[in-house]
Amino acid sequence: FRRTDETIRGPLRISAERWQGVDSIWAGVPMVSLAMEKMQARVGAGLVHVLGMSELLARTRTDYADIVRAILRSRRLQLRLRARLSDLVERSPLFDTAGWVRDVERMHRMM
């Protein structure tokens, strides 16, 4: 693992960074997040929360490390989280590109 200010990156790309986090979630890769003072960390925590995966939200640095360890130690947990995340992303308005395009086009027509 390589540790940066608010991020631990490892085989699962566990991260609290904005774009890397969105890309990871879209790809079905679980993202553990710890909301801290910086906006990037709050955005990551918000994404995880909105998707309904509160088990990936850490309250403290110790919780963060414990969640990461649990995921890395259990292939079964990794597969379960990936499957659940994939299903949630499929149904989430956050990743509904077609719906977003329809809404933007409708807004443009209204202008």
Side-chain angles (χ1 to χ4, degrees):
F1 289 103
R2 185 182 79 182
R3 184 174 181 95
T4 62
D5 185 31
E6 296 180 38
T7 308
I8 295 176
R9 293 186 191 145
L12 293 178
R13 290 186 60 188
I14 299 166
S15 168
E17 295 177 32
R18 284 180 291 176
W19 304 120
Q20 191 176 34
V22 170
D23 290 345
S24 294
I25 288 172
W26 191 308
V29 178
M31 181 178 78
V32 176
S33 189
L34 171 62
M36 297 181 73
E37 292 180 18
K38 291 188 178 180
M39 182 186 74
Q40 296 92 321
R42 291 192 310 273
V43 169
L47 285 168
V48 173
H49 174 74
V50 166
L51 284 172
M53 297 200 65
S54 59
E55 69 270 31
L56 298 178
L57 287 174
R59 303 267 182 246
T60 66
R61 290 180 186 269
T62 301
D63 288 347
Y64 187 90
D66 290 344
I67 294 167
V68 169
R69 273 190 222 102
I71 293 170
L72 292 175
R73 288 179 179 157
S74 172
R75 181 71 174 145
R76 174 183 256 171
L77 178 57
Q78 291 171 24
L79 294 173
R80 183 178 61 79
L81 288 171
R82 279 177 166 261
R84 183 160 167 246
L85 183 58
S86 178
D87 181 55
L88 290 170
V89 165
E90 184 74 27
R91 296 183 290 131
S92 173
L94 290 173
F95 295 95
D96 179 10
T97 304
W100 183 86
V101 169
R102 275 192 311 274
D103 291 345
V104 168
E105 289 174 342
R106 187 177 69 227
M107 179 190 66
H108 288 168
R109 284 191 295 275
M110 291 171 63
M111 296 166 112

